[in-house]
Amino acid sequence: MIITLKSNSSPQQVAHLRSWLEGQNIGVHPIEGKFQTVIGLIGDTSKIDIECLENLEIVEKVIRITEPFKTANRKFHPEDTIVSVGEAKIGGPHFGLIAGPCSVESEEQILEIAKRVKASGATLLRGGAFKPRTSPYDFQGLEAQGLKLLSLAKKETGLPIVSELISINHLDLFADVDVIQVGARNMQNFDLLRELGRTHKPILLKRGLASTIKELLMSAEYILAGGNKNVILCERGIRTFETYTRNTLDISAVPVIQELSHLPIIIDPSHSCGVARYVKALSMAAAASGANGIIVEVHNDPAHALCDGAQSLTPAQFDDLASHVRRIVEVCHS
Ligand code: PEP
Ligand code: MN
């Protein structure tokens, strides 16, 4: 970190700042110019509140050299993290194809979808059991029963399962869930992230509706700092002024995150656009961008889905999508 001081700072003010910084075990290296003094800070500056420094009377500007996310940072971990889930792998050269309904609705529904998406090449099955709905009057998920049905689908097909956890009080119910999803609305539920850092299960961390890439990486840092290194990031569209789509897919998040971090980054084309007929194009764009996978909503009867039917593909549409995506992955990931 580099601090540029205002030209009128008095020696006493500079000495005071210096001893405050040294008191926090930070190496202080002043460079005195003709008109201005610049201070280089060496050591762990992650705990320093940049805004607090910037507000000091003698400080003109503060520049952070190293990003505040340490464990997620590619600088300190150059090789890609590959998350293993059963036989599936996500990250590096491994493309994860995750598919399934927004929410588990019945045994017949989840078993049929699971078998169909597996036949199309899905490597993991998704299905919400606890649904964070905008309206308290909407279907909230089958909860514990939904997880049991997902387990059944896993047993029948061998596909590992992904499901969203909305409260740490439910963690025991997730014993058979292979990947715990943290939804967009919980990306900054720091208590939840901290607790998940103590588990050893892979975590699928979705980007918040109005969160920056840095905020997403700082949230991943909460999980990693607790000792759980199996984090998969997910870009699921962000809020913009556009109204033709539910959200706006920020495809640039893929190269940006791959530069900044070693963690896998996947795309959720379904929540990104909210419209089934756009999902294939976004999935192909995701594969071409170098994303490490996609998570797609598939329903056997989208018109009657209890949640997110408008963005759900039929199994046949998913099959077509999967074959296109596979071809792009072959070309772009080799
Ligand atoms: C979901 O995956 O069904 C979901 C609710 O996603 P998000 O948290 O991205 O809105
Ligand atoms: Mn959904």
Side-chain angles (χ1 to χ4, degrees):
M1 191 178 281
I2 294 170
I3 306 175
T4 308
L5 299 182
K6 285 185 184 150
S7 50
N8 60 355
S9 340
S10 73
Q12 288 89 333
Q13 284 174 309
V14 178
H16 186 256
L17 174 62
R18 186 176 180 146
S19 69
W20 178 72
L21 289 163
E22 283 170 344
Q24 303 196 49
N25 265 336
I26 287 175
V28 178
H29 302 267
I31 306 158
E32 283 178 30
K34 201 164 168 198
F35 302 106
Q36 265 185 319
T37 298
V38 166
I39 302 180
L41 305 186
I42 309 282
D44 181 7
T45 55
S46 59
K47 291 195 180 65
I48 294 205
D49 183 341
I50 234 178
E51 273 135 34
C52 177
L53 266 185
E54 273 168 345
N55 282 333
L56 294 178
E57 206 185 315
I58 60 166
V59 171
E60 188 169 290
K61 198 159 72 184
V62 182
I63 301 168
R64 211 185 253 290
I65 306 294
T66 317
E67 299 294 348
F69 43 92
K70 293 263 178 275
T71 326
N73 202 322
R74 198 181 271 286
K75 253 184 220 149
F76 310 115
H77 187 298
E79 61 286 351
D80 291 331
T81 284
I82 296 172
V83 176
S84 293
V85 190
E87 307 213 321
K89 284 187 168 58
I90 299 179
H94 309 281
F95 191 86
L97 190 54
I98 310 174
C102 179
S103 51
V104 180
E105 296 170 12
S106 68
E107 182 174 327
E108 301 70 46
Q109 176 241 22
I110 191 66
L111 288 185
E112 184 186 339
I113 298 170
K115 286 177 193 160
R116 297 286 301 271
V117 299
K118 173 155 188 188
S120 300
T123 50
L124 282 95
L125 174 69
R126 67 150 286 152
F130 292 89
K131 296 304 304 175
R133 303 304 300 276
T134 302
S135 165
Y137 309 115
D138 285 342
F139 176 59
Q140 305 286 308
L142 293 185
E143 306 189 338
Q145 177 61 11
L147 292 176
K148 281 200 187 120
L149 295 177
L150 261 186
S151 284
L152 185 65
K154 170 179 169 176
K155 222 162 118 194
E156 292 267 321
T157 59
L159 287 177
I161 52 181
V162 185
S163 201
E164 178 170 353
L165 179 82
I166 56 173
S167 161
I168 204 66
N169 298 333
H170 302 150
L171 189 59
D172 289 348
L173 297 171
F174 280 65
D176 193 39
V177 172
D178 300 281
V179 178
I180 295 180
Q181 177 173 321
V182 175
R185 290 152 193 83
N186 269 317
M187 189 203 87
Q188 288 192 316
N189 182 339
F190 299 120
D191 280 344
L192 182 66
L193 300 176
R194 236 191 301 268
E195 290 294 333
L196 292 174
R198 298 195 186 106
T199 71
H200 299 289
K201 286 207 191 259
I203 309 297
L204 174 57
L205 178 63
K206 291 189 133 192
R207 180 178 180 180
L209 279 70
S211 298
T212 64
I213 291 172
K214 189 182 269 180
E215 284 163 345
L216 171 63
L217 290 169
M218 290 309 293
S219 290
E221 193 72 19
Y222 267 89
I223 303 169
L224 297 167
N228 186 350
K229 306 295 182 214
N230 292 309
V231 177
I232 303 162
L233 303 172
C234 179
E235 160 62 37
R236 45 78 74 207
I238 48 174
R239 278 272 163 88
T240 68
F241 45 79
E242 186 48 68
T243 53
Y244 280 107
T245 50
R246 185 176 176 184
N247 293 291
T248 298
L249 171 59
D250 177 12
I251 198 85
S252 57
V254 174
V256 171
I257 287 173
Q258 286 178 341
E259 180 176 83
L260 293 172
S261 177
H262 51 89
L263 296 173
I265 163 80
I266 69 166
I267 296 274
D268 176 340
S270 310
H271 292 87
S272 289
C273 65
V275 182
R277 66 182 180 279
Y278 303 147
V279 169
K280 180 176 162 187
L282 299 195
S283 301
M284 294 197 294
S289 73
N292 303 109
I294 50 174
I295 176 165
V296 183
E297 287 189 341
V298 178
H299 198 282
N300 53 339
D301 183 7
H304 295 101
L306 296 181
C307 185
D308 284 350
Q311 66 194 33
S312 298
L313 301 186
T314 61
Q317 288 168 329
F318 177 70
D319 190 63
D320 171 55
L321 175 154
S323 70
H324 280 78
V325 164
R326 239 190 319 274
R327 277 191 276 159
I328 295 173
V329 170
E330 269 166 33
V331 175
C332 298
H333 293 228
S334 55

